Amino acid sequence: MDAPFTDRVANIAPEGAYRVMAKAQELEAQGKEILHLEIGQPDFPTFPPICEAGKEAIDQGYTRYNPSAGYGDLREKIAHIRSEQGYPTAASQVVIGPGAKPGLVFPILAIAQAGDEILYPDPGFPTYRSSIELASATPVPVPLVEENSFSFDLEALERRITSRTKLLILNSPANPTGGIIPQSDLDAIASISRQHGFWILSDEIYSRLIYDLKQLPSIASHADLQNRLIIVDGFSKTYAMTGWRLGHAIMPEALAEKVELLLMHSIGCTAGFTQKAGLAALDKTDDYVEEVVNEYRTRRNRFIDGLNRLEGVDCKKPDGAFYAFPNVSKLGIPSDILANRLLEEAGIACLSGKDFGPGGEGYLRFSYATGQNTLDRCIDALGEFISRI
């Protein structure tokens, strides 16, 4: 008997990273050695000042209910940092959540409904499409262009805008491509948004993981868009806090009030000791972040150079995040089949570009948030696999 599921969950698919990780672990249980480059998780331990602050907060009793939008001191700190960066922000605009995903899902639930269309990057983070479908809105993928540092095809973007367009999702630096949307493209997107009046959600979870820029270009530089702009960020990637579950979103105060209610009636609140650890991350770990970014830069350079030495592989050097997104179309094997064969035959756990949408066909995604030895061995194993085929 078919379960009476609603349309909003009928097509929701799991994230490819979790699926591949589960299969890789099954193979490991059978005695096969696997090189893990599938999951976007820093291999560094959470920085000591963060751990110490979290432990102290537990000892101090920050283990009880707290405001659904988060503690005031953390919200004020985030607002202060954004304002110092040149993007004036009030604490009342900041909403804290258990990870960055609530900052993606709940604002979409609050502003979109059936009949609305939401534009999102293809290839892009799978939660974007799932969030759109949860809101019963219509997902409209917009292609990214490899030759434009995996920024949007702006002409294609404009062609997809209709009277029903409610929101455009940006992701910079991007998962899975590592691309950064240049300021010139952000300026063009801002102009398009003014003309058509749609919202913009900018996912900036990798905002501090940039390698050749001093500050990430942000759509928030267009102050006149603030009344329909949502900025999403978090602590998982920058501070190696994936399991702590701490993120935040900045949005107009009226929307923040609605998102707070959605948080209240779903997760209740974000763990208090996690929030106190987040304060320590913002106050005490700049040196740690700089060291980690330097290490990622070294890994990026060596890994991308290694990929580009392989026959049939072309990989653009990513400007941010910690992902390599090589073009493997010359190998003549569909991405999902190739990724599966690499796992089973070469012991390399990576993701098919199609895990991020149809626009990812012809690509693979590797996370270089792992040790240099693993990355070097991946290049060797990938080279041996290619020589066999």
Side-chain angles (χ1 to χ4, degrees), residues 58 60-61 63-64 72 77 87 100 117 123-124 161 189 215 224 226 240 256 280 290 294 306 360:
I58 291 173
Q60 293 168 3
T63 56
R64 305 175 71 82
K77 181 67 177 180
Y87 314 130
E117 296 175 349
I161 295 170
I189 290 167
Q215 183 172 329
D224 62 306
Q226 298 295 325
E290 184 177 353
N294 287 336

Side-chain angles (χ1 to χ4, degrees), residues 115-137:
D116 290 335
E117 296 175 349
I118 297 181
L119 286 68
Y120 68 99
D122 177 26
F125 184 42
T127 294
Y128 302 147
R129 185 180 182 96
S130 295
S131 300
I132 296 165
E133 292 174 336
L134 281 172
S136 298

Side-chain angles (χ1 to χ4, degrees), residues 180-197:
I180 289 177
I181 302 175
Q183 187 64 52
S184 58
D185 283 6
L186 292 173
D187 294 343
I189 290 167
S191 178
I192 295 169
S193 177
R194 292 187 192 100
Q195 180 181 351
H196 296 278

Side-chain angles (χ1 to χ4, degrees), residues 32 311 331 333 338 341-348 380-389:
K32 187 174 181 64
E311 183 178 357
L331 297 179
I333 303 174
L338 178 58
R341 287 187 62 182
L342 285 171
L343 179 59
E344 295 184 344
E345 300 175 29
I348 300 172
D380 292 341
L382 185 56
E384 291 174 7
F385 176 85
I386 291 173
S387 68
R388 292 198 304 271
I389 64 172

